[in-house]
């Protein structure tokens, strides 16, 4: 199961790029020099992306994070004998990405807050971080497996 973590994260990176191309899961308005402006009426009709407004390319931020995480997971699989540690790293890092990227999302301002503290996406991300940490704790209780 842990061996699938790197390919799954790689697929997430590719999906992030597809989301960017389609205008789905668009970012919040931005004045950053790298902000993007969508002009496709078709994209607006299908995904709801606002037209003519500079937006954070949050999908590309996520893609960069997912590509980097996939590389780390592949190296971990090659150099550590602890698949549960790889899974823990995937859950922990993706949870951190999702939590930190949430405020840059176009839907963040309209998202309901749980106990007036975090959005559902951020709460899920926090759960991922906890599960990743539990995987790391579990991996520390077992001796590493060495591959020949």
């Amino acid at each position: 199961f842990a061996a699938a973590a790197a390919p799954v994260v790689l697929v997430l990176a590719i999906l992030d790029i597809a989301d960017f191309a389609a205008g789905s899961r668009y970012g919040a308005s931005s004045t950053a020099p790298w902000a993007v402006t969508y002009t496709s009426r078709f994209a607006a009709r299908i995904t709801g992306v606002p037209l003519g407004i500079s937006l954070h390319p949050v999908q590309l931020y996520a893609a960069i994070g997912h590509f980097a995480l996939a590389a780390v997971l592949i190296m971990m699989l090659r150099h550590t004998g602890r698949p549960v540690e790889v899974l823990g790293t995937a859950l922990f890092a993706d949870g951190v990405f999702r939590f930190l990227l949430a405020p840059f999302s176009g839907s963040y301002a309209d998202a309901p807050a749980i106990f007036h503290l975090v959005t559902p996406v951020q709460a899920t991300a926090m759960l991922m971080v906890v599960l990743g940490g539990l995987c790391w704790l579990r991996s520390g209780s077992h001796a590493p497996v060495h591959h020949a």
Side-chain angles (χ1 to χ4, degrees):
F1 183 69
V8 166
V9 171
L10 191 58
V11 167
L12 288 175
I14 293 166
L15 290 173
D16 291 331
I17 292 171
D19 285 336
F20 176 74
S24 62
R25 293 183 42 232
Y26 54 89
S29 63
S30 172
T31 58
W34 56 85
V36 297
T37 304
Y38 289 93
T39 58
S40 169
R41 288 189 186 127
F42 179 75
R45 190 172 39 243
I46 299 299
T47 67
V49 65
L51 302 181
I53 298 173
S54 296
L55 304 171
H56 277 286
V58 70
Q59 314 94 321
L60 296 182
Y61 302 160
I64 291 167
H66 284 132
F67 278 125
L69 178 56
V72 167
L73 296 175
I74 289 167
M75 288 189 306
M76 287 180 72
L77 280 170
R78 293 183 66 208
H79 298 293
T80 70
R82 298 180 179 174
V84 71
E85 192 173 292
V86 174
L87 179 61
T89 300
L91 287 168
F92 189 93
D94 195 44
V96 169
F97 290 157
R98 291 177 190 280
F99 188 89
L100 295 177
L101 288 178
F104 297 101
S105 167
S107 61
Y108 183 74
D110 298 327
I114 300 172
F115 302 117
H116 304 286
L117 296 172
V118 295
T119 65
V121 168
Q122 288 177 310
T124 303
M126 291 167 55
L127 178 62
M128 291 171 69
V129 167
V130 169
L131 291 174
L134 290 174
C135 288
W136 283 341
L137 288 174
R138 186 173 183 271
S139 75
S141 66
H142 299 302
V145 177
H146 296 284
H147 300 282

